[in-house]
Amino acid sequence: MTPVIPNSPPAVADFLAQQRLALTSRQIITVWGRSHLRTALRRGRVTALLPHVHVATSLRSEPDVVGRALSAWQPHGLVTGQLALHLYAQGRLAGVGDRADIVVATNHHLRSPAWLRVHQTGRPQGSSAPLGIPCTLPERAVLDAWRYAPARDRTNLFYEALWLRVCHWSQVRREAENTVRVPQRGLLYRLLDEFAAGATSPLEVRARR
């Protein structure tokens, strides 16, 4: 989605903060000029979160702003994993982890920062856009969060996603069955089996164990 910039916008740092946006260098230079951008960067009010993609420094760690930056950087990519879960849950997820994940086409050659994992597996068939940010479908986001999270965090992430009704357990099961590599697949299926047996919440699953 291309952001709408008014004819007489405030300073770029203020505009980015007020609108919680991420803009490319070209977008900023076209409206505010190269000198304005350089000054905002030098003063630390604007941060280049990704190559040629800028955000308000005060919001550089906010999940929705990070998601918009990823979308501006790779318009055809899809945010997935824990960051996508946070977007689907509209901020109710306890945390977003140390790294973000994005799925892009297989023929891309990208240099990404250390906090970002780029998965060149091809764009999945389905997608959605929580908060206007292109993401994998919720069930794929849950499964990817499981796949990419440290082993110690997987169970809690799974419970939290289902507790917040990001998607239904049966959707996760179907997605897992169609995915070749799933770490701790046996554990994931045991958790899913609890829901299949009639549990309606993570609390019920834990009570049965």
Side-chain angles (χ1 to χ4, degrees):
M1 180 183 298
T2 302
V4 177
I5 303 174
N7 292 329
S8 299
V12 66
D14 296 329
F15 180 75
L16 290 172
Q18 291 165 6
Q19 302 298 320
R20 303 182 72 86
L21 285 177
L23 294 177
T24 65
S25 299
R26 178 176 295 181
Q27 288 171 318
I28 293 174
I29 291 169
T30 297
V31 177
W32 286 272
R34 192 180 302 273
S35 176
H36 187 100
L37 174 58
R38 287 175 177 169
T39 299
L41 289 167
R42 185 176 65 252
R43 292 177 177 174
R45 299 194 63 206
V46 168
T47 294
L49 192 62
L50 288 156
H52 308 295
V53 176
H54 305 275
V55 301
T57 300
S58 61
L59 300 178
R60 66 185 181 276
S61 298
E62 293 296 316
D64 60 320
V65 174
V66 174
R68 292 186 182 100
L70 289 171
S71 182
W73 182 57
Q74 290 297 313
H76 299 293
L78 296 176
V79 177
T80 192
Q82 201 168 345
L83 177 58
L85 293 185
H86 198 286
L87 298 173
Y88 277 116
Q90 298 186 18
R92 293 174 294 160
L93 201 71
V96 293
D98 297 328
R99 303 181 71 182
D101 297 279
I102 188 171
V103 180
V104 300
T106 55
N107 60 346
H108 285 201
H109 300 284
L110 303 172
R111 296 181 63 182
S112 59
W115 58 267
L116 175 63
R117 286 180 291 238
V118 177
H119 306 281
Q120 299 189 43
T121 56
R123 183 184 173 100
Q125 290 185 347
S127 65
S128 188
L131 304 181
I133 299 165
C135 293
T136 58
L137 291 174
E139 57 269 30
R140 172 66 183 271
V142 172
L143 186 62
D144 282 349
W146 176 279
R147 294 168 67 200
Y148 306 140
R152 66 181 182 275
D153 297 335
R154 287 176 182 144
T155 299
N156 284 339
L157 267 175
F158 172 81
Y159 282 148
E160 192 170 9
L162 294 191
W163 178 260
L164 295 172
R165 302 183 186 279
V166 169
C167 65
H168 193 266
W169 67 266
S170 61
Q171 295 173 292
V172 180
R173 181 71 180 240
R174 186 163 51 249
E175 189 70 24
E177 290 173 346
N178 292 325
T179 302
V180 176
R181 296 179 181 176
V182 179
Q184 295 184 292
R185 185 187 292 270
L187 172 60
L188 176 61
Y189 281 3
R190 286 194 296 275
L191 297 175
L192 289 167
D193 286 344
E194 295 283 359
F195 285 92
T200 58
S201 74
L203 289 177
E204 288 186 38
V205 174
R206 285 173 166 159
R208 295 181 180 193
R209 305 186 80 187

